Amino acid sequence: MPVISTPQEFNVDDLYVDLRRLTGRPLYLKCEGFNFAGSIKLKAANEMVSAAVRSGALHAGTTLVESSSGNLGVALALVAASRGLKFLCVTDTRCNLPTRRLMAALGAEVHVITEPDPLDGFLGARIRFVERLVAENADHLWLNQYANPGNWAAHYQTTGPEILKSFPGVDVVFIGAGSTGTLMGCARYFRENKPSVRIVAIDSIGSVTFGTPAQPRMLPGLGTSVRPPLLDRSYVDDVLHVAEADTVRACRALLREGFLFGGSTGTVLSGATAWLARQDDDLTAVAIAPDLGERYLDTVYHDQWIADTYGADLLGEQAPATLARRMP
């Protein structure tokens, strides 16, 4: 019987959904949303804060500051509350209201950026605000998830080993690219421990992470408008870009099976399904689902929001055949 004294001590690390009847291929979805923060970001939040404490950079009276589109902000708010720390999250208008309310309920201050930077979008505007804030306040500490080695180290220590333990014969791992902490931590772990594993990064169309042109993106989570310093492309075997409409289709295909996952999971699943459909071999594949879907009820799972954002025709479309197969 698990007994914990802080919320960050608990995380379900060995739950997978077999998606074979949806994809027609052996694809296992690693569910990372079963912890008190509701997402995989709890791992990175806990490691970055712990590392700052160990180094002496974080101490009583320090206010933590971070730029986040949502999930990391919630995770840091939770860790800060458990440690008695102040936390300020700088987000933007794409961060949904339930997520902002959750951060505030945990005691965080939430600052919402309403205008994107002309060149670097909302992320650039958020980062510039944070830079000014910490320059003007000596008691503010920016963890900087985009460059903090604790971000990828958390997944090198946990997520990568968890996958290999559950699937010793894994051939390919699909990982969404946001700050690229999960991607780089897992990629480094497999490069050192099972280099035959192919690492496939899944990004959003409109993201600049892998050098593609910037375009407007409406869903938070994956993708960036500023290339993350953490990214080392040499660890990545392949990259797929997914349109947000396909993210919605994949999420809703899962929902018809009773699984409510977040937008990032829909993006990863859509990319993984397309990649596997091009392979001749029957590979054992694992995809990482960063969070669950409750925080997306006003977007991905809201018909009017879908119609206003992508057009009403999307609501009547069925998922691609590779995401609609069922057992007889």
Side-chain angles (χ1 to χ4, degrees):
M1 176 180 68
V3 177
I4 62 174
S5 56
T6 62
Q8 57 267 36
E9 294 175 60
F10 173 76
N11 184 67
V12 175
D13 58 19
D14 58 356
L15 178 63
Y16 295 80
V17 178
D18 185 346
L19 295 178
R20 209 172 322 211
R21 69 178 183 174
L22 278 177
T23 64
R25 301 280 186 132
L27 176 61
Y28 302 93
L29 194 62
K30 188 178 194 302
C31 302
E32 288 282 353
F34 293 100
N35 58 52
F36 285 99
S39 82
I40 196 171
K41 292 294 189 178
L42 182 58
K43 292 175 173 178
N46 190 45
E47 176 58 28
M48 289 191 293
V49 172
S50 297
V53 171
R54 291 193 299 267
S55 71
L58 176 57
H59 46 77
T62 302
T63 296
L64 290 172
V65 182
E66 188 53 83
S67 157
S68 171
S69 61
N71 281 339
L72 182 65
V74 171
L76 283 170
L78 181 150
V79 173
S82 76
R83 289 177 173 265
L85 298 167
K86 295 179 181 178
F87 171 55
L88 167 60
C89 181
V90 180
T91 188
D92 61 62
T93 52
R94 295 172 301 175
C95 178
N96 56 60
L97 186 58
T99 299
R100 291 184 231 167
R101 286 176 172 169
L102 180 53
M103 286 189 278
L106 286 164
E109 180 183 349
V110 181
H111 181 87
V112 181
I113 299 293
T114 58
E115 293 295 331
D117 181 89
L119 296 177
D120 296 327
F122 276 114
L123 177 55
R126 283 170 17 205
I127 290 174
R128 284 169 177 76
F129 181 87
V130 171
E131 289 173 337
R132 289 195 300 271
L133 190 68
V134 296
E136 295 168 1
N137 296 272
D139 61 346
H140 285 43
L141 174 66
W142 180 24
L143 291 172
N144 192 2
Q145 62 163 320
Y146 314 105
N148 191 320
N151 190 350
W152 68 259
H155 302 286
Y156 179 93
Q157 296 162 5
T158 60
T159 312
E162 290 160 6
I163 293 171
L164 192 57
K165 179 181 178 181
S166 296
F167 294 93
V170 63
D171 297 300
V172 56
V173 179
F174 299 97
I175 308 169
S179 68
T180 69
T182 307
L183 174 64
M184 296 313 303
C186 290
R188 283 185 165 92
Y189 176 81
F190 281 107
R191 177 70 61 86
E192 294 180 15
N193 293 276
K194 191 174 182 183
S196 63
V197 173
R198 281 180 271 185
I199 301 295
V200 180
I202 310 296
D203 200 4
S204 300
I205 289 178
S207 167
V208 306
T209 300
F210 293 95
T212 50
Q215 295 180 32
R217 291 175 293 111
M218 299 304 298
L219 293 174
L222 300 185
T224 65
S225 53
V226 179
R227 187 180 187 274
L230 286 181
L231 177 64
D232 184 339
R233 183 65 174 79
S234 68
Y235 284 91
V236 179
D237 297 297
D238 204 352
V239 179
L240 273 79
H241 287 83
V242 173
E244 287 190 341
D246 289 330
T247 293
V248 172
R249 294 184 184 101
C251 283
R252 290 186 168 220
L254 284 168
L255 187 61
R256 286 192 290 272
E257 301 292 320
F259 292 110
L260 184 68
F261 282 103
S264 297
T265 298
T267 304
V268 172
L269 176 57
S270 180
T273 303
W275 191 92
L276 288 169
R278 299 200 297 262
Q279 309 305 311
D280 294 328
D281 299 331
D282 207 16
L283 304 172
T284 297
V286 172
I288 297 175
D291 61 2
L292 302 178
E294 290 92 339
R295 296 171 194 168
Y296 300 82
L297 293 177
D298 291 335
T299 53
V300 172
Y301 299 107
H302 193 288
D303 286 356
Q304 190 59 55
W305 187 89
I306 295 297
D308 292 343
T309 306
Y310 305 110
D313 290 347
L314 181 58
L315 295 171
E317 294 181 14
Q318 294 295 315
T322 50
L323 281 179
R325 298 177 183 171
R326 287 179 170 269
M327 299 283 283

